[in-house]
Amino acid sequence: MYLGFLLLLINSSIRTEEWPLWKNWWIRGILTLAMISVFFLIIYMGSFMLMLLVLGIQVKCFHEIITIGYRVYHSYDLPWFRSLSWYFLLCVNYFFYGETVADYFGTFVQRREQLQFLIRYHRFISFALYLAGFCMFVLSLVKKHYRLQFYMFAWTHVTLLITVTQSHLVIQNLFEGMIWFLVPISSVICNDIAAYIFGFFFGRTPLIKLSPKKTWEGFIGGGFSTVLFGFVFSYFLAQHQYFVCPVEYNSETNRFVTECEPSELFQLKKYSVPLLLQAVLGWETVNMYPFQMHSIALSTFASLIGPFGGFFASGFKRAFKIKDFADTIPGHGGIMDRFDCQYLMATFVHVYITSFIRGPNPSKVLKQLLVLQPEQQLNVYRTLKSHLVEKGILIQENSYS
């Protein structure tokens, strides 16, 4: 685990600036140590604080992208542009976080009558809020700026897609277990560092015109290094319940808990070593966690496809002739500059979990059953009992008159 955050420290020092070298290193070094300390503290404080961190990063990234649009078109004095942008951000967050509350806090909601109403009609309320913003936009249209206003309307919605939707997926991944949050993030950071180092020492062949400093040597070297790092890092994280257990809400203590019997993914198993490698390693079998095999897929994506998020961001900045999205972090640019690859990674991890990992969740089914009316619960009970009897799992009780 410490290796992952050491990589974060190095990654924060990659970017070169025009400042004097000694001053640049001092500022970046102090800020990096501060950020790492805060990140350690947040991990120690638990999943809820990590969710708040994701929300904060999401809002800041949205602000940086929207501000670029505002700077480009501010001279046109578009009515309500910034106000409507933030209003739509509020609406979309209300929708996504409401869905999360309904999925993971069912028992808590059942104890609050006010929340029951909000959850039951959550999607209708969300749609009504969005419609209000939509009508406000139509009413704000000015004859001489029609086309420009629709440009900015699209700008806002694409920004919402990039930031809010992706951050919601990050939180969904986090609920599956902190390891699904830490391994992908660390893999992207490792790939950035390794690609830079290999490119610096061995780079000769340009990779893509959008980023002239990127080389094929760095791309390939970074890919192999990332897969190796993800494999080793996963081994250490998989040994601790705190990182592998799904995040659940305990209604009795009103706290998030990460206690469970680790699934088969996080239990050591013996694997046979391929014959070709047996001669090299001298091992016939090896003990490893099944999750490590999945980490290869995550690390491969981080090294092959993840950088395209950075290329996309580079093209975006070149289109508007800006060097960074913002100057939030001295020496590093904006928050979006640091997380341009992470959003693609978050989407992939969520799709990967839903496609290959996640199965039916009994706890969610039980929560939904508890919401039903007593008559509906009895019907479910009778149907389930009849089904189990037919399959021979239950024995039909004889009734005596």
Side-chain angles (χ1 to χ4, degrees), residues 263-280:
S263 67
E264 293 184 358
L265 280 178
F266 307 107
Q267 295 180 12
L268 279 174
K269 292 187 177 181
K270 184 177 292 186
Y271 293 88
S272 299
V273 177
L275 294 176
L276 292 176
L277 294 178
Q278 287 184 17
V280 178

Side-chain angles (χ1 to χ4, degrees), residues 13 39 87 128 141 156 191 202 236 284 293 301 331:
S13 303
F39 194 52
Y87 177 80
L141 291 173
T156 298
N191 185 68
F202 308 106
F236 288 104
E284 294 184 359
M293 304 301 294
F301 184 90

Side-chain angles (χ1 to χ4, degrees), residues 180 265 294 297 348-359:
W180 293 102
L265 280 178
H294 295 289
F348 173 74
V349 173
H350 181 76
V351 172
Y352 188 87
I353 291 174
T354 55
S355 300
F356 304 110
I357 304 299
R358 183 189 297 159

Side-chain angles (χ1 to χ4, degrees), residues 122-191:
H122 170 68
R123 295 191 176 184
F124 181 82
I125 295 173
S126 301
F127 183 63
L129 290 173
Y130 179 83
L131 281 182
F134 179 82
C135 293
M136 290 168 63
F137 167 75
V138 174
L139 294 174
S140 71
L141 291 173
V142 179
K143 186 175 182 179
K144 60 181 179 178
H145 294 320
Y146 284 159
R147 180 178 296 180
L148 187 58
Q149 286 181 283
F150 278 101
Y151 283 161
M152 300 314 299
F153 184 78
W155 180 289
T156 298
H157 282 67
V158 171
T159 304
L160 291 171
L161 176 65
I162 293 174
T163 57
V164 182
T165 306
Q166 308 304 317
S167 64
H168 174 69
L169 297 182
V170 172
I171 292 177
Q172 294 293 308
N173 299 341
L174 187 56
F175 272 109
E176 297 296 326
M178 204 177 293
I179 195 170
W180 293 102
F181 174 82
L182 294 176
V183 170
I185 285 179
S186 301
S187 296
V188 172
I189 294 173
C190 175
N191 185 68

Side-chain angles (χ1 to χ4, degrees), residues 37-52:
S37 300
V38 171
F39 194 52
F40 268 119
L41 178 62
I42 291 175
I43 291 177
Y44 174 78
M45 295 174 69
S47 302
F48 182 71
M49 295 304 298
L50 279 173
M51 294 175 200
L52 292 181

Side-chain angles (χ1 to χ4, degrees), residues 55 58-63 66 82-97 130 156-157 159-161 163-165 167:
L55 176 61
Q58 172 224 114
V59 172
K60 184 55 183 172
C61 289
F62 180 85
H63 171 258
I66 286 296
R82 299 188 79 174
S83 300
L84 281 175
S85 296
W86 286 101
Y87 177 80
F88 282 125
L89 175 67
L90 178 65
C91 292
V92 176
N93 269 311
Y94 176 80
F95 170 74
F96 280 123
Y97 279 90
Y130 179 83
T156 298
H157 282 67
T159 304
L160 291 171
L161 176 65
T163 57
V164 182
T165 306
S167 64

Side-chain angles (χ1 to χ4, degrees), residues 100-386:
T100 300
V101 169
D103 286 341
Y104 295 98
F105 301 90
T107 54
F108 175 79
V109 170
Q110 291 307 306
R111 298 179 181 181
R112 305 291 191 279
E113 292 186 4
Q114 303 88 342
L115 292 180
Q116 288 182 28
F117 173 83
L118 292 176
I119 293 300
R120 183 173 183 179
Y121 300 104
H122 170 68
R123 295 191 176 184
F124 181 82
I125 295 173
S126 301
F127 183 63
L129 290 173
Y130 179 83
L131 281 182
F134 179 82
C135 293
M136 290 168 63
F137 167 75
V138 174
L139 294 174
S140 71
L141 291 173
V142 179
K143 186 175 182 179
K144 60 181 179 178
H145 294 320
Y146 284 159
R147 180 178 296 180
L148 187 58
Q149 286 181 283
F150 278 101
Y151 283 161
M152 300 314 299
F153 184 78
W155 180 289
T156 298
H157 282 67
V158 171
T159 304
L160 291 171
L161 176 65
I162 293 174
T163 57
V164 182
T165 306
Q166 308 304 317
S167 64
H168 174 69
L169 297 182
V170 172
I171 292 177
Q172 294 293 308
N173 299 341
L174 187 56
F175 272 109
E176 297 296 326
M178 204 177 293
I179 195 170
W180 293 102
F181 174 82
L182 294 176
V183 170
I185 285 179
S186 301
S187 296
V188 172
I189 294 173
C190 175
N191 185 68
D192 286 343
I193 298 166
Y196 172 80
I197 293 175
F198 277 91
F200 182 83
F201 287 104
F202 308 106
R204 296 291 183 274
T205 312
L207 176 63
I208 187 171
K209 293 182 179 179
L210 282 174
S211 296
K213 295 182 180 179
K214 305 290 185 182
T215 63
W216 275 104
E217 291 79 4
F219 184 77
I220 296 172
F224 282 107
S225 301
T226 302
V227 172
L228 178 62
F229 166 80
F231 191 81
V232 175
F233 189 47
S234 298
Y235 178 82
F236 288 104
L237 291 184
Q239 300 177 43
H240 305 281
Q241 281 191 12
Y242 186 73
F243 297 115
V244 304
C245 289
V247 179
E248 295 184 353
Y249 180 76
N250 190 320
S251 58
E252 296 180 358
T253 60
N254 289 328
R255 295 178 58 187
F256 286 101
V257 294
T258 51
E259 298 176 357
C260 68
E261 181 66 28
S263 67
E264 293 184 358
L265 280 178
F266 307 107
Q267 295 180 12
L268 279 174
K269 292 187 177 181
K270 184 177 292 186
Y271 293 88
S272 299
V273 177
L275 294 176
L276 292 176
L277 294 178
Q278 287 184 17
V280 178
L281 300 176
W283 303 334
E284 294 184 359
T285 60
V286 62
N287 291 325
M288 55 182 288
Y289 296 96
F291 178 81
Q292 291 179 267
M293 304 301 294
H294 295 289
S295 75
I296 295 176
L298 301 179
S299 301
T300 301
F301 184 90
S303 56
L304 294 182
I305 307 299
F308 281 83
F311 300 153
F312 177 85
S314 296
F316 181 90
K317 289 183 284 187
R318 286 177 180 273
F320 291 94
K321 300 179 180 179
I322 55 176
K323 184 177 182 181
D324 297 310
F325 282 94
D327 56 357
T328 307
I329 310 174
H332 301 290
I335 298 296
M336 192 65 195
D337 292 288
R338 299 291 86 195
F339 289 90
D340 47 10
C341 297
Q342 297 290 359
Y343 284 115
L344 271 180
M345 192 69 203
T347 305
F348 173 74
V349 173
H350 181 76
V351 172
Y352 188 87
I353 291 174
T354 55
S355 300
F356 304 110
I357 304 299
R358 183 189 297 159
N361 191 331
S363 63
K364 284 189 177 181
V365 175
L366 181 60
K367 290 176 182 178
Q368 292 176 341
L369 287 175
L370 294 176
V371 179
L372 300 177
Q373 297 297 321
E375 297 80 4
Q376 296 173 316
Q377 292 175 342
L378 285 173
N379 287 333
V380 172
Y381 167 74
R382 296 189 188 101
T383 303
L384 179 60
K385 181 180 178 181
S386 175

